[in-house]
Amino acid sequence: MNNIPASQVAHIADPERKSGRIGTCPDPQGLLRQEPRLRLDVLDRLHNCSVLSAAQFDKDLLGELAKLAAHLQLRRCPVSKALEDKIMAAAFFEPSTRTRLSFESAMLSVGGKTISVADAKTTGVAKGESLRDIGQMFNSYADLVVVRHTEQSAIAEMSEYLRIPLINGGNGSDEHPTQALADWYALLKWRPEIAFGAIPERFRLNIGIIGTPGNMRTVKSFLTLALLFHENINHITIFSEMADPLGDDLRELCDNSPIGINFSRDLQGNLEYLDVIYMNAIAFLGDGYRFYSEDFQLSAASRLKADTVILHPLARGPELAADLDDTPHNLYFNQADGAVWVRQALLLAIFGRVRGTVPDDLLI
Amino acid sequence: MNNIPASQVAHIADPERKSGRIGTCPDPQGLLRQEPRLRLDVLDRLHNCSVLSAAQFDKDLLGELAKLAAHLQLRRCPVSKALEDKIMAAAFFEPSTRTRLSFESAMLSVGGKTISVADAKTTGVAKGESLRDIGQMFNSYADLVVVRHTEQSAIAEMSEYLRIPLINGGNGSDEHPTQALADWYALLKWRPEIAFGAIPERFRLNIGIIGTPGNMRTVKSFLTLALLFHENINHITIFSEMADPLGDDLRELCDNSPIGINFSRDLQGNLEYLDVIYMNAIAFLGDGYRFYSEDFQLSAASRLKADTVILHPLARGPELAADLDDTPHNLYFNQADGAVWVRQALLLAIFGRVRGTVPDDLLI
Amino acid sequence: MNNIPASQVAHIADPERKSGRIGTCPDPQGLLRQEPRLRLDVLDRLHNCSVLSAAQFDKDLLGELAKLAAHLQLRRCPVSKALEDKIMAAAFFEPSTRTRLSFESAMLSVGGKTISVADAKTTGVAKGESLRDIGQMFNSYADLVVVRHTEQSAIAEMSEYLRIPLINGGNGSDEHPTQALADWYALLKWRPEIAFGAIPERFRLNIGIIGTPGNMRTVKSFLTLALLFHENINHITIFSEMADPLGDDLRELCDNSPIGINFSRDLQGNLEYLDVIYMNAIAFLGDGYRFYSEDFQLSAASRLKADTVILHPLARGPELAADLDDTPHNLYFNQADGAVWVRQALLLAIFGRVRGTVPDDLLI
């Protein structure tokens, strides 16, 4: 491809292709079949709240957020001026194009404005300024701040003087709650009955998680939300090269869950039992890569069940082969796409603007 | 704090706490008690003007700008579309999160749009392009440009071909005029009679400045504005480790001022006489740090008068201890907060949009 | 200049000076004299199209785009909300202040919104993410993406999964089509008869191009558009130190053109024959700089014809002396200025919003 001049690349953005999608793209309408109306009392629990952890969400709140996102994606709400008096600060002390652009796009789409720090090297943090002082600064400049940081402690430190809501956009190895909202928005569109129905026992989901929840933030937040749907999940298998992949906090949560949770290093041997596979860019510790890297990779050649879907927060490495993109296993592109809608829903709820934006006949 | 997971941090942005502030937060209403109406003829002197130096401001202009900022802070003016046809370029060739985000937030709040250079390394400047050519470029892209640069000469160079107003956002060791506007907006809210009254002789202010006005831009701009209020300032003491802390330009200004100005290295011994202390992140030269660093630090243990207020443009270093934050001495957080309002006022005045934005009955 | 404090620089943005321009600034009205109305059927050929190469444009399309840009520059179209529901992503994996800010300014001016990557080091690309995956990401975040990249192959790679229009903002040594649109917008304002008339044979243009079209993207795109106007161009001389300055693609295009094209290393000896000179920041290969650098420089002392105009995409190096700025030879500042208008025109056409923005009586 290296030497194809631009003049020889097809240059029409085909309107047909625009509606065509790659992989599995479930209709958001599915989420609204049982009860299209939103429970405003549930969504209002987010009003003026910070979003720091997936543990803040229960089944009701996650369900209503997903339904609001579905209404937005189906363009049923005139949002273009909903937050026109609000400024969101995107404070990305750890660079992240996907998460930053996704939040900025979401905020702009609902009429808000954005100010951004894309790189910590351009900030006082690089000169040793405390995050507490930086939090104090954002009180004056913005109405909400999204923070991404390499350190787990950053969110607590920055919250100390903060009087505006903060959204945790990923803090070290701790949490990435809005990524988990995007993950579950994709899964609930794919199988609305996970949140809004009762799956017959023998069809309950078997979920495989490749990674180490105890020190991978997206995996931790995903697993935390998974536990909410214990009635419709049969088993969760965690594939990790670590001896203790959960850590203390999660182990307690998991121990108290009725879901069967077990651990394995044999991903390939278990593939045929999994309905959902959650992957991440694999960061191996110690000798892990040498021993396990190929075992933990998926491709079109992997022995997946026909209807298994794969989630991945992207960006991906070699663990997820591109030859899966054009298969029905690919729910990861839809997951990325849905992130913008679920973040719009979250922003509207935090600013208390669901009423006034969503048509009244869609509210309970 | 290092190991508190996000799920265990209080996650509600308390609406009560939102109205609660840290430190001294004087009511902007105080500025408007004597004469709430704005003198449009005075503010119009800024129309189409560049703001390069604190020396451009006289007592009238500074007073009217502070009053306009107070009206904006009290939300008495419908500003949300005031500058909707204007684009501000933030050209930060020296990175500065606070100043850049503050200007962007101000511009967005009055309805304008922004384009930004957050880092010189992404610009032609890094490749040796002249600032004159870059100034010419901004003529086409924006209606106003805010410039921050490491070199004092940058403002003059960039102005050469510029046909749109330029705001000096800090040029090397020279000036930072809008920081000084924020400093004095805080002080005038705290004691409106400085600008709008006559303080009885024995209560006139004693101001201490820690730093070297001759080569610290914020200190230089602050001192320049201080001289405007000579009727209500008794004495200014400059605490610096330098033999000649003023330099030629400022010495002439100071020599011509009726304010008594003296120099000292004994901050701690003079604290009990000071009503206002202006600090900066201290940049010591030569052996300064070894000899003076502890002498020039303030903390809750410092022997301050009960009603002394401290200003600091932030970000801070060890010179200003965090245990002062929760005391009435802390005017520095209010100073940072006010910067956004005084910059909104400045933008409205430069674009000649005070009339049309401020209700007519608030104009003279 | 180094030591002039800001307080001593003239600080008024002179309203007179604001209308005064440097160099040659032809009236956009000239483009509209023959037929002010726009051919909507021609402009609609860009609807939903990507712009990857200058080779996509024919004489009609370039002419109508230039006329639309002229209407916009003359403020005859109320554009301020034309694209208010659209988001443009500026994805600059190779930093470029001019092109990025120019596109952002254009998009904001027609009412759109922007999200930006100013530096590849803050992106997943730096971590090895494929451009195909990044293209897929932009489908969800934006309605159009402008890409700048160091590699020629980037545009093709990023297009693979893209369902929104892409504008090539410069890909390696390949193309920079919107720069060429800006180049020709300046030339057509200067001599509208190039596109809309027949120049008598003896006055047809002689164009000199300093640089190597085969491996300089702006030169390649400029030359590609030049070939469209073969009826009014007599000769094109390419001044380059390379043995084969065209490369295969361009040689074929040039061989099929009726325009006489020749090569020379003697710029200074040919200056008196040239009506238009296109320069670029010269990147010499091998020993080129040692042998040719002075030969390829222009200054006020160069023996130019009185009415010769110089184009340069800027930023410039020593090849273009600043003493030419204040002469009528300087069309390069006008060229930079026009870039914003022609990009606004392009955005309106791609989004199919010419109708609805341009008053109906200006449409055919």
Side-chain angles (χ1 to χ4, degrees), chain A residues 21-85:
Chain A
R21 304 270 170 175
I22 305 164
T24 289
C25 301
D27 186 351
Q29 178 60 41
L31 277 172
L32 304 170
R33 217 152 270 153
Q34 198 182 45
E35 172 55 77
R37 292 174 302 167
L38 301 172
R39 290 170 55 192
L40 192 58
D41 62 320
V42 173
L43 288 166
D44 269 351
R45 283 159 41 197
L46 283 168
H47 190 188
N48 279 329
C49 275
S50 289
V51 173
L52 306 184
S53 161
Q56 291 172 240
F57 294 86
D58 61 17
K59 201 177 130 180
D60 278 359
L61 185 49
L62 182 48
E64 295 303 311
L65 260 186
K67 282 168 55 188
L68 175 51
H71 280 301
L72 294 169
Q73 186 165 2
L74 294 164
R75 317 261 177 189
R76 288 180 182 166
C77 312
V79 292
S80 69
K81 301 197 183 300
L83 300 183
E84 65 179 337
D85 56 339

Side-chain angles (χ1 to χ4, degrees), chain A residues 6 17 21 98 316 325, chain C residues 129 133 141 160-161 163 174:
Chain A
R17 194 176 160 211
R21 304 270 170 175
R98 286 181 175 272
R316 62 175 149 188
D325 294 357
Chain C
E129 187 172 12
D133 279 12
Y141 298 172
E160 202 170 332
Y161 284 168
R163 298 189 309 274
D174 185 26

Side-chain angles (χ1 to χ4, degrees), chain C residues 135-148:
Chain C
Q136 163 65 17
M137 169 182 82
F138 282 117
N139 289 330
S140 306
Y141 298 172
D143 301 291
L144 175 142
V145 59
V146 181
V147 179
R148 168 82 145 240

Side-chain angles (χ1 to χ4, degrees), chain B residues 48-50 52-53 56 113 116 122-123 129 132-133 136-137 140-141 152-153 159-163 174 249, chain C residues 2 5-7 11-13 17-18 20-22 97-98 100 102 105 108 315-316 322 325 333 337 340:
Chain B
N48 278 329
C49 275
S50 290
L52 306 184
S53 161
Q56 291 172 238
K113 294 149 202 248
S116 297
T122 67
T123 69
E129 186 171 14
R132 190 178 49 193
D133 279 12
Q136 163 64 17
M137 168 182 84
S140 306
Y141 298 172
Q152 178 175 336
S153 60
S159 294
E160 203 170 334
Y161 284 167
L162 206 64
R163 298 188 310 273
D174 185 26
D249 296 330
Chain C
N2 248 4
S7 56
H11 60 267
I12 306 298
R17 195 177 159 210
K18 186 152 170 65
R21 305 271 170 173
I22 304 165
T97 309
R98 287 180 175 271
R100 177 173 64 83
S102 166
S105 176
L108 293 172
R316 62 176 148 188
D325 294 356
F333 280 173
D337 179 66
V340 176

Side-chain angles (χ1 to χ4, degrees), chain C residues 89-334:
Chain C
F92 280 66
F93 301 107
E94 172 183 88
S96 160
T97 309
R98 287 180 175 271
T99 307
R100 177 173 64 83
L101 294 185
S102 166
F103 267 111
E104 290 177 358
S105 176
M107 185 64 177
L108 293 172
S109 294
V110 293
K113 296 149 202 246
T114 62
I115 55 176
S116 296
V117 174
D119 187 357
K121 285 194 298 292
T122 67
T123 69
V125 171
K127 299 176 238 162
E129 187 172 12
S130 78
L131 283 166
R132 190 178 50 192
D133 279 12
I134 288 177
Q136 163 65 17
M137 169 182 82
F138 282 117
N139 289 330
S140 306
Y141 298 172
D143 301 291
L144 175 142
V145 59
V146 181
V147 179
R148 168 82 145 240
H149 203 283
T150 49
E151 296 297 324
Q152 178 175 334
S153 60
I155 298 298
E157 232 179 283
M158 195 152 166
S159 295
E160 202 170 332
Y161 284 168
L162 207 65
R163 298 189 309 274
I164 57 174
L166 179 153
I167 297 177
N168 180 357
N171 63 324
S173 59
D174 185 26
E175 286 247 25
H176 193 352
T178 63
Q179 176 63 48
L181 295 177
D183 302 340
W184 283 95
Y185 179 50
L187 283 176
L188 298 186
K189 281 185 288 183
W190 172 67
R191 291 273 173 92
E193 60 272 30
I194 298 174
F196 304 108
I199 302 182
E201 186 162 2
R202 62 193 181 103
F203 295 122
R204 286 185 193 147
L205 299 180
N206 289 312
I207 297 180
I209 292 177
I210 309 174
T212 308
N215 62 24
M216 290 180 177
R217 61 190 173 209
T218 57
V219 181
K220 178 177 181 184
S221 295
F222 173 82
L223 176 57
T224 303
L225 291 191
L227 299 177
L228 299 178
F229 302 107
H230 52 80
E231 289 160 6
N232 292 317
I233 295 175
N234 178 47
H235 223 91
I236 295 176
T237 310
I238 292 165
F239 301 94
S240 166
E241 100 278 28
M242 302 290 288
D244 172 18
L246 287 179
D248 293 344
D249 296 330
L250 276 175
R251 194 181 316 104
E252 197 185 324
L253 274 178
C254 289
D255 285 350
N256 292 330
S257 171
I259 301 177
I261 293 175
N262 62 344
F263 305 92
S264 169
R265 288 181 184 167
D266 181 16
L267 174 66
Q268 307 299 334
N270 282 279
L271 283 178
E272 61 190 301
Y273 307 109
L274 300 174
D275 302 294
V276 173
I277 300 172
Y278 190 92
M279 314 185 74
N280 203 341
I282 303 182
F284 288 100
L285 303 174
D287 282 335
Y289 192 80
R290 187 149 56 87
F291 291 126
Y292 303 108
S293 62
E294 282 188 23
D295 294 346
F296 289 169
Q297 288 176 9
L298 292 184
S299 71
S302 302
R303 289 178 324 230
L304 297 159
K305 286 202 311 170
D307 58 354
T308 298
V309 291
I310 301 170
L311 292 174
H312 191 301
L314 306 176
R316 62 176 148 188
E319 72 280 354
L320 177 60
D323 63 7
L324 280 162
D325 294 356
D326 235 338
T327 72
H329 303 302
N330 171 3
L331 192 63
Y332 40 88
F333 280 173
N334 187 255

